[in-house]
Every structure is written in C-alpha cells, then in structure tokens.
Amino acid sequence: MSGFEIEPIGTVASPLTDLESAPKQGDEGAPEAWIDFDAGVLEGLRGVEPGQDLIVLTWLDRARRDVLTVHPRSDTSRPLQGVFSTRSPDRPNPIGLHRVEILAVEGSRVRVRNLEAVDGTPVVDLKPVLGSER
Amino acid sequence: MSGFEIEPIGTVASPLTDLESAPKQGDEGAPEAWIDFDAGVLEGLRGVEPGQDLIVLTWLDRARRDVLTVHPRSDTSRPLQGVFSTRSPDRPNPIGLHRVEILAVEGSRVRVRNLEAVDGTPVVDLKPVLGSER
C-alpha cells in the first residue's frame, strides 16, 4: 500500500529542548508551551477557547521509524513489548497524542498546558477529547 | 514547512461500507470489525491482548483536506465551527482517532469493537488510551 503526505499545520514552541529530559507523559511535569499555527489553517481554530481540553497530534520527527519492540518506559528490566501497546515515540508512524488544556488563544498562537513535546516539533492536528463532543 | 510520508500499517475490514450510514462516534453503533495488519509490523503487536482498550489511528482517505470550518455533526442550523474543535473527517490531515476494545488477536488480524471507520480505511497507528500506561 502506498503512503500519504502529512503536512504540518503548526509547530511547538516550548522551553523543552532535550528529548532525554522530556517527561514521558504530559502530566509528569511538562512546562507550558505555545503552538504556532500556520497562517493557512487559522480558520480551523474558530471555537478553540481557553479552558478546553483538546488532543494535539504531533509528528515526532526525531523518532526512529524502524522500531517495532521496546522496553516499556526504557526500563531494560522489563520485557520487550510491541510498540503498538506502548507510547514509545519510536514506531512506524511517529504520531504523538497529547491531551492538553487550552490556556490562551492569541492570533495564530495557542498556549497550552501539559504538552510533552520538544521545541520545534511539528503539529499535525488538533481535536476534541474522545467522547467529549456531543 | 515540508511534509512527511505516513505509511499505512494495516487496513480496516468492516461491514461498514457507506460513509453516510457510518456512525459519527464509535459508541453510536459501529459494528465489530477486523484490522488486518501488514506482515512487516506484526512484531509491534506483541502485548496486544483481548480486553484491552486501545486507540486506533486511521487515515481517512476519502476526506477533503481543504476544509477548515464545518457545521458540527452536519447540522446546518448550527454555526460554522473550526475543524480543530470538531471531529470532522474533513480537515488538513484527516487522521481518525478511535477508541476500540480488543476482542481477539488471530495472527495478523485483530478484532475490535467500536471502530466507526468504513471498510478499506488505512490504519496508521495503534496506541494505549491516554493516561492508561504507567
């Protein structure tokens, strides 16, 4: 099967610059961050407001795509597990899923809490939390 | 910013063949479905077991990528809303997020409940539910 082209819609601007020091989960201490959205998609932000919980999808462009098994949480004492039952960034399509809280919307910039992605990470989508849209 | 190549890891096999009759949310009546995984990624399924709730990411290849605002749930009496605060399949990167329950794992096929994607939809990732992996 052939692939598809995924196009970034924005970029993470965060004090997190180092993968090693990045928390493995957003609620383990990620600093507040901005998402800078591209001018061409700003209409899509209509209705995004402070206080909402949304899912940010990123493309983890530093990840390895040829990895299929990992030690969970990089703990080599734990047995190898398939990446599809872990949140390893290393996986065939390195899409990151991050539940964030919207803190502010200022033009093309959106401030968020709990985004555990490093500075410069491409953002590819923003969605409601599963089951929250009725 | 340039794009990235997203490669399907499998395909949905479902009795759902019609977008119009497809439920908008998995818990609104999606039938059980199979995901057929490509031979090259089967190691990644190690640890995927019946009873787990996982997130399936699909590439909604019939969606329109030039849409930035929609009427929520196709109800034209509701005001236009930016796609990033809706689950519209039409959006710049048409990634579908589906919370499913694993019913069976049979070789390269995984049977799931609550997958509201039509037959033939490419699958691009499989992940733990947010916050469930510790």
Side-chain angles (χ1 to χ4, degrees), chain B residues 12-16 23 26 29-35 100-104 109-119:
Chain B
V12 173
S14 171
L16 271 184
E32 294 180 5
W34 291 100
I35 301 172
V100 304
E101 180 188 349
I102 306 297
L103 299 174
R109 311 195 85 191
V110 174
R111 187 143 181 97
V112 299
R113 176 177 288 150
N114 287 339
L115 180 54
E116 77 286 23
V118 297
D119 187 61

Side-chain angles (χ1 to χ4, degrees), chain A residues 46 128 132-134, chain B residues 24-25 28 69-82 85-87:
Chain A
R46 196 190 294 187
S132 71
E133 185 210 12
R134 283 293 186 280
Chain B
K24 296 261 191 301
Q25 310 272 344
E28 289 178 8
T69 58
V70 294
H71 296 288
R73 298 186 67 85
S74 307
D75 178 351
T76 55
S77 73
R78 294 172 69 172
L80 278 172
Q81 191 170 336
S85 56
T86 78
R87 294 191 70 201

Side-chain angles (χ1 to χ4, degrees), chain A residues 6-27:
Chain A
I6 190 165
E7 293 282 352
I9 60 170
T11 308
V12 173
S14 171
L16 270 183
T17 55
D18 177 9
L19 280 177
E20 293 305 311
S21 67
K24 297 259 189 303
Q25 309 272 343
D27 58 4

Side-chain angles (χ1 to χ4, degrees), chain A residues 71-87:
Chain A
H71 296 287
R73 298 185 67 85
S74 306
D75 178 350
T76 53
S77 73
R78 294 171 67 172
L80 278 171
Q81 191 170 338
V83 291
F84 300 135
S85 58
T86 79
R87 296 191 68 201

Side-chain angles (χ1 to χ4, degrees), chain B residues 9-129:
Chain B
I9 60 170
T11 309
V12 173
S14 171
L16 271 184
T17 54
D18 177 10
L19 280 178
E20 294 306 310
S21 67
K24 296 261 191 301
Q25 310 272 344
D27 58 4
E28 289 178 8
E32 294 180 5
W34 291 100
I35 301 172
D36 290 316
F37 285 88
D38 294 350
V41 303
L42 295 186
E43 273 290 291
L45 291 176
R46 197 191 295 188
V48 172
E49 287 168 9
Q52 293 172 341
D53 277 3
L54 293 175
I55 306 287
V56 174
L57 282 72
T58 56
W59 187 263
L60 304 167
D61 55 349
R62 305 193 200 179
R64 287 180 53 192
R65 303 185 63 174
D66 59 348
V67 170
L68 289 172
T69 58
V70 294
H71 296 288
R73 298 186 67 85
S74 307
D75 178 351
T76 55
S77 73
R78 294 172 69 172
L80 278 172
Q81 191 170 336
V83 291
F84 300 135
S85 56
T86 78
R87 294 191 70 201
S88 166
D90 299 322
R91 55 203 309 120
N93 291 303
I95 298 171
L97 228 60
H98 319 265
R99 181 175 176 145
V100 304
E101 180 188 349
I102 306 297
L103 299 174
V105 180
E106 298 182 5
S108 65
R109 311 195 85 191
V110 174
R111 187 143 181 97
V112 299
R113 176 177 288 150
N114 287 339
L115 180 54
E116 77 286 23
V118 297
D119 187 61
T121 301
V123 172
V124 296
D125 204 0
L126 183 64
K127 287 182 188 301
V129 171

